[in-house]
Amino acid sequence: MTGRPPSTLGELKKSGYRPRSVKEELRANLIARIRTKQPLFEGIHGYEHTVVPALERAILAGHSINLLGLRGQAKTRMARSLVQLLDEWMPVVAGSEINDDPLAPISRYAKDQIAIHGDNTPIVWVHRNDRYTEKLATPDVTVADLIGDSDPIKAANLKLDYSDERVIHFGLVPRSNRGIFVINELPDLQPRIQVALFNILQEGDVQIRGFKLRLPLDIQFVFTANPEDYTNRGAIITPLKDRIQSQILTHYPPTIELGMRITAQEVRSPQEQARRVRVPDLIRVLVERIALEARESDYVDRKSGVSARLTISALESAISAAELRALRTGEERTTVRIADLFAVGPAINGKIELVYEGGAGGGREGGASSPLASLAPRVPRALSRSGEGPPAGQGRWQGPHRAGPLCRSGGPLRRPCGGAAAGRPGRSVHPDGAGGAGSGGPGALTARLPRCGRAARLDGVRAPRVGGTEPCGPHRPGRRHPLQRPDGQRVQR
């Protein structure tokens, strides 16, 4: 802004100002940056051929944006950097709560001011940094926080009726009019609160309860979210997903070199520490290797990810360990050694989520249990009183039937069968599906199926699902399951 900026509506009209939407601002300024070969983001590395082009296309199309990715992938930083694509200054009707454009007012207050003062209506100029609003989605967020509600204190002070729209206290979304509004961790927002965003994203207006009011807001929405299967605290409801026009997937740096570049940029060391401690490239490579190996490990939960903050904190810890050694030995300068890497443990704790055998979900199929299975093979715990059981040296039943918990119900050994070749209750089953008591042959297996076709309790512990069935407790010899017909077939509920 050069010279004295206009201070009234009349001066603004004479200056040749023309209003335009926030998405038009972003689009025009992005085009100018592309033509002058300026980068869209400063300090963002590794996204030049993936995330950044997708984000540029979304801005050119005027889309609302959802940045979806694991933790520590610079989602919030990119959202905050979009402010640089706004015009540096923006005129607003003085006193307006929702940044009314002097030439296109939408609030009752701004319209009244222009009707009273005309071209002498005072205006103020807002910097682009003040046009950015960010809200962390937490379970306690309400519709009043985001959209607004009637304010009884304002109604009492102004002596107005509750039906007067001037008693409305606007929420964060209307106050972000003509700016950028970011919601971090969108899945944490309760579904009923997400519903309140439907009209804003689709029609561009907001509805406040108890008022026949429609405000055509002009907002660029940006959301950030972790994958839903990781957060487990909520989900983005389907109608809201449908209204978010572009969903962009972020990722971790694919190479060690990019990781080292990001870590070196983000490490915050005091100047005195930086002068005293030298960090060899080998140490930087080893620190990045920790994160890279963790992201590829079967023992680490891939749904939670390994944040870039791990390498930053780990390198800072290693540098501090070298500095502590130098202070104790009286050295003026020192170098980070391999032994200093043992000090990065506290920086790693809490940033890596392991997959345990029997845990819920994890990395690749089988999780951490796959390599442990060969070291600790399963041993059959329950054997029948008559000595029947799996073949010697084998911990699982063989044949087409699924292995499952063994059942001791006071009689011959029984087990659940997940295959289609289930015989009648009390009938022995051959591995190849042929029934018949005492059927033999190589690899023959004799076992009685539970009368109800379900898994039983073993030593008082409820057995898990087997073959799509549920546990039903100990089986009673000689009794049929209430949902089983005499011919052995299950009765449909």
Side-chain angles (χ1 to χ4, degrees), residues 130-201:
D130 297 325
R131 299 170 62 187
Y132 175 87
T133 305
E134 182 179 313
K135 175 62 178 176
L136 176 63
T138 54
D140 61 337
V141 174
T142 64
V143 176
D145 295 334
L146 294 180
I147 309 302
D149 205 346
S150 59
D151 187 351
I153 297 178
K154 182 185 291 186
N157 291 337
L158 299 178
K159 297 180 181 181
L160 297 173
D161 189 79
Y162 284 144
S163 61
D164 195 313
E165 66 181 74
R166 287 175 291 178
V167 305
I168 295 176
H169 174 77
F170 293 106
L172 289 175
V173 172
R175 292 175 183 271
S176 303
N177 184 39
R178 303 174 67 198
I180 299 174
F181 185 73
V182 177
I183 298 182
N184 280 323
E185 308 299 340
L186 180 61
D188 288 347
L189 208 60
Q190 296 183 21
R192 65 183 182 86
I193 310 301
Q194 296 183 31
V195 172
L197 301 175
F198 286 180
N199 269 40
I200 306 172
L201 290 173

Side-chain angles (χ1 to χ4, degrees), residues 161-461:
D161 189 79
Y162 284 144
S163 61
D164 195 313
E165 66 181 74
R166 287 175 291 178
V167 305
I168 295 176
H169 174 77
F170 293 106
L172 289 175
V173 172
R175 292 175 183 271
S176 303
N177 184 39
R178 303 174 67 198
I180 299 174
F181 185 73
V182 177
I183 298 182
N184 280 323
E185 308 299 340
L186 180 61
D188 288 347
L189 208 60
Q190 296 183 21
R192 65 183 182 86
I193 310 301
Q194 296 183 31
V195 172
L197 301 175
F198 286 180
N199 269 40
I200 306 172
L201 290 173
Q202 188 66 37
E203 286 80 20
D205 59 35
V206 61
Q207 298 179 1
I208 299 177
R209 64 176 183 177
F211 297 93
K212 295 182 179 179
L213 175 69
R214 297 178 69 91
L215 292 177
L217 299 176
D218 177 25
I219 301 175
Q220 172 64 55
F221 278 94
V222 180
F223 305 97
T224 70
N226 294 120
E228 297 168 21
D229 54 354
Y230 162 62
T231 60
N232 292 327
R233 296 166 296 194
I236 306 175
I237 59 178
T238 303
L240 184 59
K241 286 182 183 178
D242 184 57
R243 286 167 169 80
I244 300 175
Q245 296 154 318
S246 289
Q247 180 169 278
I248 301 173
L249 302 181
T250 60
H251 56 83
Y252 289 119
T255 63
I256 290 183
E257 291 73 16
L258 278 175
M260 292 173 57
R261 187 177 178 184
I262 295 172
T263 303
Q265 172 185 280
E266 299 300 323
V267 166
R268 297 291 181 264
S269 297
Q271 294 183 358
E272 181 183 359
Q273 186 182 69
R275 290 193 301 267
R276 179 180 289 124
V277 182
R278 186 180 70 88
V279 184
D281 290 339
L282 174 61
I283 298 298
R284 299 182 186 274
V285 171
L286 293 177
V287 169
E288 294 299 327
R289 177 62 66 179
I290 294 174
L292 190 61
E293 293 294 331
R295 289 168 187 152
E296 298 177 354
S297 174
D298 290 337
Y299 297 92
V300 176
D301 190 348
R302 293 192 174 187
K303 296 178 182 178
S304 67
V306 179
S307 171
R309 302 182 187 95
L310 183 147
T311 55
I312 297 170
S313 300
L315 185 58
E316 290 174 346
S317 296
I319 295 173
S320 298
E323 183 184 27
L324 180 60
R325 184 184 64 252
L327 293 173
R328 288 179 173 174
T329 57
E331 300 176 356
E332 289 297 328
R333 296 181 179 276
T334 187
T335 302
V336 180
R337 304 172 184 174
I338 297 294
D340 295 323
L341 293 178
F342 287 97
V344 305
I348 297 176
N349 292 338
K351 296 182 177 63
I352 295 180
E353 297 185 13
L354 301 180
V355 180
Y356 299 97
E357 185 175 8
R364 298 176 182 173
E365 185 176 358
S369 61
S370 299
L372 296 179
S374 59
L375 301 178
R378 292 182 59 184
V379 178
R381 295 175 55 189
L383 296 177
S384 66
R385 296 176 181 175
S386 61
E388 297 180 2
Q394 298 186 17
R396 290 189 175 92
W397 293 91
Q398 306 298 311
H401 309 287
R402 298 181 184 177
L406 305 181
C407 172
R408 298 182 64 183
S409 55
L413 178 66
R414 301 187 177 111
R415 70 173 181 84
C417 177
R424 291 179 299 176
R427 182 182 181 186
S428 60
V429 178
H430 192 272
D432 58 7
S439 58
L445 174 64
T446 302
R448 288 190 178 183
L449 299 177
R451 295 184 183 275
C452 66
R454 294 188 178 186
R457 292 180 180 269
L458 180 61
D459 297 337
V461 180

